[in-house]
Amino acid sequence: MVASPRTIVVIEDEAPIAHSVAARLRSEGHRVEIAVDGLSGVELVESLRPDLVVLDLMLPGLDGLEVCRRIQRERWVPVLMLTARDSEADLVIGLGAGADDYLTKPFSARELLARVSALLRRAERVDADRARDTGGDAVHVGPVELDPRSRRVRRDGDVVHLTPTEFDLLTYLARQPGRVATREELLQQVWGYDFPAGGRTVDSHVRSLRRKLGQEVVRTVHGVGYAVEEAV
Ligand code: CA
């Protein structure tokens, strides 16, 4: 179920996949445009300013990672990356190029719609938080300071760029220091999933956070989930 129709760009060189994804999203009322290579995808996103991008990792010309970086340069747009293998999650998310979630081919129409709806709901929430300008007080994790109002992050005073998903994930953990959150809880609370899904997207986002802010910023609790330490 979709609250309001949105503009979505699909960047995918395999025509049957591009068209079935577009048809499914259009049947939900969304306006969908397709690009078949990376460069025209970047141009399409720049001219349409869509609410969400479905982006294939393997594209002729610019690959999905480079497209992702370029389309995020000026403003955040939620990106659902399509991959050929589940093991590519770390590539698309762990490198911090700006993908918010990924889906491994082949996927069902139901999976696609569930991910798209969750990402659109998150984007709405991020926009609403920004508009209200009431994200709450700054949160600290060791040398890292998270300012929910500006969504700005500093480590030892230096600004570090986090994607909105990375920011929301770390803020969620940091607001409950010492408490362990399971992957399922994080998928529900941070990604807005109301359906079961694997936790690999969580793991990859944690790896990206560690790469940007230091290994110690998030603690792995093996077999359970993730936590940040209580301040000493
Ligand atoms: Ca492809």
Side-chain angles (χ1 to χ4, degrees), residues 75-94:
R75 66 186 258 276
W76 176 59
V77 53
V79 172
L80 176 62
M81 195 81 93
L82 305 181
T83 67
R85 282 177 296 278
D86 207 38
S87 57
E88 286 166 346
D90 240 33
L91 190 63
V92 305
I93 294 164

Side-chain angles (χ1 to χ4, degrees), residues 72-118:
Q72 305 276 2
R73 235 174 237 166
E74 303 218 342
R75 66 186 258 276
W76 176 59
V77 53
V79 172
L80 176 62
M81 195 81 93
L82 305 181
T83 67
R85 282 177 296 278
D86 207 38
S87 57
E88 286 166 346
D90 240 33
L91 190 63
V92 305
I93 294 164
L95 291 179
D100 299 284
D101 202 358
Y102 77 103
L103 204 48
T104 305
K105 298 174 186 176
F107 48 83
S108 68
R110 216 178 53 160
E111 282 177 291
L112 172 77
L113 292 179
R115 301 298 176 103
V116 164
S117 305

Side-chain angles (χ1 to χ4, degrees), residues 12-14 56 58 105:
E12 163 67 271
D13 58 312
E14 291 165 77
D56 187 31
M58 300 298 284
K105 298 174 186 176

Side-chain angles (χ1 to χ4, degrees), residues 28-99:
E28 295 290 300
H30 299 300
R31 174 193 178 194
V32 184
E33 299 287 337
I34 296 173
V36 296
D37 64 72
L39 210 50
S40 62
V42 171
E43 284 166 6
L44 192 58
V45 170
E46 279 169 359
S47 64
L48 277 183
R49 300 177 69 84
D51 300 295
L52 183 130
V53 176
V54 179
L55 173 59
D56 187 31
L57 177 63
M58 300 298 284
L59 290 167
L62 298 181
D63 71 8
L65 285 182
E66 184 56 27
V67 170
C68 198
R69 283 189 201 99
R70 292 198 189 186
I71 61 179
Q72 305 276 2
R73 235 174 237 166
E74 303 218 342
R75 66 186 258 276
W76 176 59
V77 53
V79 172
L80 176 62
M81 195 81 93
L82 305 181
T83 67
R85 282 177 296 278
D86 207 38
S87 57
E88 286 166 346
D90 240 33
L91 190 63
V92 305
I93 294 164
L95 291 179

Side-chain angles (χ1 to χ4, degrees), residues 24 49 54-55 94 98 116 143 149 163 172 174 176 189 195 214 216 223:
R24 203 64 194 82
R49 300 177 69 84
V54 179
L55 173 59
V116 164
R149 285 197 178 89
T163 68
Y172 182 81
Q176 311 169 75
Q189 298 298 321
F195 49 91
E216 72 288 357

Side-chain angles (χ1 to χ4, degrees), residues 169 172-173 181-191 202:
L169 173 60
Y172 182 81
L173 290 169
T182 64
R183 289 174 179 78
E184 293 74 39
E185 174 187 344
L186 293 168
L187 285 170
Q188 281 172 13
Q189 298 298 321
V190 178
W191 277 260
V202 177

